[in-house]
């Protein structure tokens, strides 16, 4: 079955650590997105990529980095510069690079600072 | 003004009633509109999309769009306890990515 796989499901980060969240899709979608969700809030855009080897900052990119070396993969690194990283992170993709069909979401990664 | 606004709720309805969820948006150029359902601790799942003015029905769900008034709504008929979730409104404004509201929490009381 096609879909988006995010791993790990739960991640714990110590102060000053960088951590990487994985997002892999086998839907042959061109565009991929990373969102952050805080309790009781909507989704805020971190980064997005519409083609391989290209990505753009979203509304809250500070303290995060991404890469898009393969069409199937769009990993997100939460760096030590992100001072409040505890949140639910969602990866999404869209069919044929258009927003008209909405997103397919992965199951999410819950990141906690310890 | 937020780009996409929703009442955070909770909206509480008795089982079997109609639940009405509303969403307003600020960009008149917005092109397509989506409703996602999100259970606690889970990722959002797409339940309805709507592109033109009027109503669109799918089973117990009806999406309504009024571009002149810049609102989109979701009606859930015969509400069930399993419908208890947060409902996110998302809008395609023609820019880079969907813009989401903060969601409305629905509680269906058995």
């Amino acid at each position: 079955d096609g879909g988006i796989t995010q791993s790990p499901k739960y991640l714990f980060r110590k102060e000053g650590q960088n951590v990487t969240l994985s997002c892999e899709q086998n839907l042959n979608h061109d565009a991929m997105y990373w969102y952050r969700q805080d309790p009781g809030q909507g989704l805020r855009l971190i980064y997005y990529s519409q083609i391989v080897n290209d990505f753009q900052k979203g509304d809250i990119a500070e303290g995060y980095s991404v890469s898009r070396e393969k069409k199937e993969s769009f990993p997100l690194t939460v760096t030590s510069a992100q001072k409040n990283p505890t949140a639910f992170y969602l990866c999404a993709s869209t069919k044929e690079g258009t927003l008209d069909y909405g997103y397919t979401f992965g199951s999410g990664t819950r990141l906690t600072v310890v | 003004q937020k780009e996409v606004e929703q009442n955070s709720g909770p909206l509480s309805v008795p089982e079997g009633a109609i639940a009405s969820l509303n969403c307003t948006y600020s960009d008149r150029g917005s092109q397509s509109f989506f409703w996602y359902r999100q259970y606690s601790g889970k990722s959002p799942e797409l339940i309805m999309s709507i592109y033109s003015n009027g109503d669109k029905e799918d089973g117990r769900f009806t999406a309504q769009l009024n571009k002149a008034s810049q609102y989109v709504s979701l009606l859930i008929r015969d509400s069930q306890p399993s419908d208890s979730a947060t409902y996110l409104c998302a809008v395609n404004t023609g820019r880079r990515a969907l813009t989401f509201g903060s969601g409305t929490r629905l509680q269906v009381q058995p």
Side-chain angles (χ1 to χ4, degrees):
Chain A
D1 285 340
I4 299 180
T5 301
Q6 288 189 243
S7 62
K9 188 170 183 176
Y10 299 97
L11 186 57
F12 299 91
R13 192 192 94 165
K14 294 181 180 179
E15 296 283 349
Q17 251 185 354
N18 292 354
V19 291
T20 297
L21 284 59
S22 171
C23 177
E24 303 275 336
Q25 54 99 359
N26 60 2
L27 299 164
N28 199 33
H29 285 178
D30 294 296
M32 298 185 73
Y33 308 81
W34 275 106
Y35 283 85
R36 167 180 173 145
Q37 187 177 34
D38 293 282
Q41 297 191 30
L43 280 61
R44 292 186 290 167
L45 182 65
I46 304 173
Y47 268 99
Y48 66 103
S49 168
Q50 303 204 326
I51 56 172
V52 174
N53 293 322
D54 186 56
F55 49 83
Q56 305 296 328
K57 292 182 179 180
D59 299 317
I60 56 165
E62 185 175 351
Y64 300 97
S65 65
V66 293
S67 62
R68 186 85 186 276
E69 297 176 1
K70 299 186 299 181
K71 187 176 184 177
E72 301 79 18
S73 179
F74 191 40
L76 174 74
T77 296
V78 184
T79 75
S80 57
Q82 172 48 241
K83 297 306 179 187
N84 185 22
T86 296
F88 188 45
Y89 290 85
L90 288 159
C91 180
S93 68
T94 54
K95 181 178 178 180
E96 297 175 5
T98 173
L99 296 173
D100 285 344
Y101 302 101
Y103 290 154
T104 300
F105 281 98
S107 57
T109 293
R110 190 166 300 278
L111 174 62
T112 304
V113 174
V114 295
Chain B
Q1 181 188 7
K2 291 184 181 178
E3 293 185 76
V4 179
E5 295 207 51
Q6 296 180 255
N7 187 317
S8 61
L11 172 65
S12 186
V13 301
E15 185 175 354
I18 296 175
S20 177
L21 303 153
N22 298 312
C23 171
T24 59
Y25 60 94
S26 60
D27 189 333
R28 284 195 172 274
S30 297
Q31 302 165 359
S32 44
F33 307 84
F34 306 90
W35 284 99
Y36 286 85
R37 178 176 62 199
Q38 186 177 26
Y39 292 113
S40 181
K42 303 295 185 182
S43 62
E45 55 178 322
L46 181 65
I47 53 172
M48 289 288 289
S49 58
I50 189 165
Y51 307 101
S52 53
N53 280 330
D55 295 359
K56 179 182 177 182
E57 187 174 319
D58 184 0
R60 295 187 297 113
F61 299 99
T62 298
Q64 299 174 317
L65 175 61
N66 184 324
K67 288 188 176 181
S69 300
Q70 294 176 244
Y71 83 77
V72 56
S73 62
L74 179 70
L75 301 178
I76 306 174
R77 290 182 299 281
D78 189 24
S79 294
Q80 301 297 309
S82 59
D83 294 325
S84 297
T86 296
Y87 289 80
L88 299 169
C89 174
V91 178
N92 174 13
T93 61
R95 295 198 295 271
R96 52 198 179 167
L98 295 183
T99 302
F100 287 82
S102 57
T104 298
R105 190 157 62 95
L106 173 65
Q107 294 177 340
V108 180
Q109 306 294 337

